[in-house]
Amino acid sequence: MTQAPEISTARLRTMRSRLLAWYLEHRRDLPWRRSRDPFAIWISESMLQQTRVETVIPYYERFLERFPDVETLADSDIEEVYGLWAGLGYYSRARNLHAAAKMVVEQYGGRLPDQVEDLRRLKGVGRYTAGALASIAFDREEPLVDGNVIRVLTRWLGWRSDVSQKKVVDALWEIAGRLVLGPQPGDLNQALMELGATVCTPRSPRCSECPIGRSCQGRKEGDVESIPRKPRKQRVRAVRGVAAWIERKGRVLMVRREEGGLLGGMWELPGGTIEE
């Protein structure tokens, strides 16, 4: 079934109230949740993409200590930004943050815009990040959908369509858009993500602790771990390469990778891949 199951407004309202009540009682105490500063929330959302919370916390704290506001970040050298990001991975996020900070200063007077349409004009800010910032930082009724939200919604609905399909993801965005309408939209979005991260986990979900477990179709069917349905992952392709260490008077030759590709803009030893 590729079409989303029908959901009544009353059912969504019940789900919404239970999620909020659960979140206010069980949410984790994370540093970015103690701040209402849109810049700090932006930094956290950028770092949390495809990265575990435990890994992000020390990077987040060091980053804000050095760059407490968007102007400081915009005026900084990209190499210093890379230095503070080193070890966090996905370095395009750091490069995009730096470029977007310059856009905020030049086009928005140093104030992060509060509308999704304007946020999405910023370098590296996609649909998810724009929704997160608009709802969490500015209390806008804007949805967000990430891996955790996809898992929670598809299990609750008992929806077994392939979540790699665009029409399925678009339908989940529409459902999330209906669910977020009402008070505390930022808390509601965080509740969905928190539930997926701590209770409705990919393996061994703690269904007995779930605030919406009684109305979860996947739980009723008894095989919640089989949802969401995804295509099989492709095998990782091994690549062989060679690098040269060229040293002169204590200095080592390095080259910068081209922008836009894998690890774009980063420094490396000269070399390349070995063809078959």
Side-chain angles (χ1 to χ4, degrees):
M1 179 177 65
T2 57
Q3 187 174 356
E6 292 291 332
I7 318 168
S8 69
T9 300
R11 190 181 178 203
L12 283 175
R13 286 176 179 168
T14 300
M15 180 189 190
R16 194 182 198 283
S17 63
R18 289 176 179 171
L19 280 170
L20 282 172
W22 172 83
Y23 177 70
L24 293 176
E25 182 178 354
H26 296 283
R27 63 185 175 186
R28 290 170 291 178
D29 180 22
L30 302 175
W32 43 88
R33 289 180 178 163
R34 305 175 204 143
S35 174
R36 295 296 301 169
D37 178 12
F39 176 73
I41 295 170
W42 179 27
I43 298 303
S44 71
E45 289 298 333
S46 299
M47 289 186 169
L48 286 166
Q49 293 173 29
Q50 298 177 291
T51 309
R52 295 178 60 86
V53 165
E54 298 78 11
T55 302
V56 165
I57 290 175
Y59 282 90
Y60 169 83
E61 293 174 337
R62 287 194 296 267
F63 200 90
L64 283 185
E65 183 178 354
R66 172 60 186 89
F67 306 119
D69 51 54
V70 69
E71 290 88 355
T72 308
L73 178 59
D75 289 341
S76 67
D77 185 83
I78 186 61
E79 297 301 334
E80 187 176 8
V81 177
Y82 282 146
L84 284 171
W85 204 274
L88 197 56
Y90 301 100
Y91 290 92
S92 61
R93 295 179 297 175
R95 187 166 62 253
N96 289 339
L97 262 178
H98 187 249
K102 292 181 179 295
M103 293 176 65
V104 171
V105 170
E106 294 168 3
Q107 300 178 25
Y108 297 98
R111 293 175 62 88
L112 202 66
D114 61 0
Q115 300 290 336
V116 162
E117 295 77 12
D118 292 323
L119 288 166
R120 293 200 63 179
R121 293 190 181 99
L122 301 178
K123 182 76 170 178
V125 175
R127 192 176 184 183
Y128 163 81
T129 304
L133 288 174
S135 62
I136 299 170
F138 300 109
D139 211 33
R140 303 287 185 192
E141 294 176 334
E142 296 288 351
L144 57 78
V145 171
D146 69 349
N148 286 319
V149 175
I150 288 174
R151 187 164 58 254
V152 169
L153 291 180
T154 53
R155 285 177 174 178
W156 183 69
L157 293 167
W159 194 16
R160 300 175 185 277
S161 292
D162 184 350
V163 296
S164 67
Q165 296 181 19
K166 181 179 183 300
K167 56 186 174 182
V168 174
V169 176
D170 286 344
L172 290 170
W173 272 96
E174 190 274 332
I175 294 167
R178 292 175 60 194
L179 187 61
V180 79
L181 298 177
Q184 299 172 264
D187 284 344
L188 185 281
N189 281 335
Q190 291 184 90
L192 277 172
M193 294 188 291
E194 187 83 339
L195 188 68
T198 63
V199 175
C200 192
T201 50
R203 297 288 176 265
S204 303
R206 303 200 303 274
C207 295
S208 61
E209 301 174 27
C210 180
I212 57 174
R214 291 183 180 179
S215 59
C216 177
Q217 187 62 31
R219 184 185 183 188
K220 290 177 182 177
E221 294 170 1
D223 60 346
V224 74
E225 286 191 32
S226 67
I227 309 173
R229 189 167 72 83
K230 303 176 182 178
R232 288 188 178 183
K233 291 184 178 180
Q234 294 182 348
R235 293 182 60 183
V236 176
R237 182 172 65 92
V239 177
R240 300 180 65 207
V242 62
W245 181 279
I246 303 173
E247 184 174 346
R248 179 183 297 171
K249 297 181 180 180
R251 302 174 71 185
V252 178
L253 178 65
M254 303 289 283
V255 295
R256 190 192 291 274
R257 296 178 67 94
E258 291 185 8
E259 298 284 351
L262 179 65
L263 301 179
M266 301 300 295
W267 292 94
E268 65 179 1
L269 295 172
T273 58
I274 300 174
E275 300 299 331
E276 292 292 338

